[in-house]
Every structure is written in C-alpha cells, then in structure tokens.
Amino acid sequence: MNNRSLVAIGKIVKAFGIRGDVVILPMTDNIARFKKLKRVFVGASGTAALEMQIAAMQIEQRGVRLRFVNAPDRTAAEKLVGSLLFVDEKDAVRLPKGTFFVHHIVGLNVIDEDGEPIGVVKDVLKYPANDVYVVENKGKELLLPAVKEFVKKIDVDAKTMKVKLIDGMLE
C-alpha cells in the first residue's frame, strides 16, 4: 500500500498516431503545467495508478498530447484510454489564495451562517461563468453557485463551507 496523495490533472481520451501518443483532456485551468511534467501516475483511480515517465509532450489547440516511455506504440497507448493522469499532491501547482482543488471541496460539510447543517458537497460542476457546488440536502440536490454572494467561508482543515442561502433555495 502506498501513502501517496494524488491529484487528477487529466484524462486519456484517445490514442493518436502509431508512436504511442495519447490525447489528454486536461482537468486543470493551467494547461501550461503539463510542460514541466517528467512523470505522472496513470490509472483508473489514485490507488491503482502506476508511475509513468513522459517521453514527449505537446500542447495543441485541441489539448495535450503525451507519449510515455513504457507505451512505445499505438497498441500500448490504446490500453491507456480512459485512464486518469495524476500528480503527487506535493507536486501540484500552487493555487492563488481563496481557490481550491475540487478534491478539497467535495466532502465538505455545508453550514448556514448560524451554523445549522445544510448538507455535504457531493460534486463540483464546471460552467463558464462559475463553478456550481452540488450539495446533498436530505436526499435532494441543492445547486449552489460558487460565488462570494453565497459561499462565505471555506475551511478545508475543519472540512466546512459556510454559506448564505436566499429564500427558496432549499425548496
């Protein structure tokens, strides 16, 4: 059993060409972060991911292309399709103050301004204007825009998110 804490940064969506290249769908706002990578962990989950050395990398308009040392041809690359790319959390990019990784948000206990429990964050939806937090509330889903008007404080260490709701949000 390993004690790595991995962060997903992309998903392999298809093989490309005959030399073992794979096309990556980035799961990061900072696509340039791929330029600095020498290795990643590849697998269906963080616990099942294997370390792979990067032989070549190219950032294109449509995304990122990688080639791994131990996937020298299209057949090997095709076996990787559907896998996630992870980096060790200690190697993750540093976020600006007030921003968080999705894996830090999912699982937070949501409370209102009076400290009353609302629910638990189950997912983060990405939209062009802003993210939306999916909060499970008594068997229902509350969609909470990730903006300062609603999200007042996030405390990752205490695993809480303090929010301000408007009339009708819980109905």
Side-chain angles (χ1 to χ4, degrees), residues 62-124:
R62 293 175 281 164
V64 178
R65 258 191 349 198
L66 294 180
R67 185 176 322 127
F68 299 108
V69 171
N70 39 345
D73 57 33
R74 185 176 183 96
T75 302
E78 286 174 344
K79 292 177 183 174
L80 301 174
V81 173
S83 298
L84 295 172
L85 264 62
F86 299 90
V87 294
D88 198 306
E89 190 164 19
K90 68 179 176 57
D91 297 328
V93 294
R94 301 293 170 236
L95 296 176
K97 185 178 178 178
T99 60
F100 304 91
F101 288 113
V102 169
H103 71 278
H104 288 150
I105 299 295
V106 173
L108 291 182
N109 293 305
V110 181
I111 58 174
D112 67 15
E113 292 180 302
D114 298 325
E116 294 297 317
I118 302 294
V120 177
V121 179
K122 293 297 181 188
D123 198 4
V124 177

Side-chain angles (χ1 to χ4, degrees), residues 19 71 86 98 146 151 165:
R19 297 179 7 189
F86 299 90
V151 180
L165 301 180

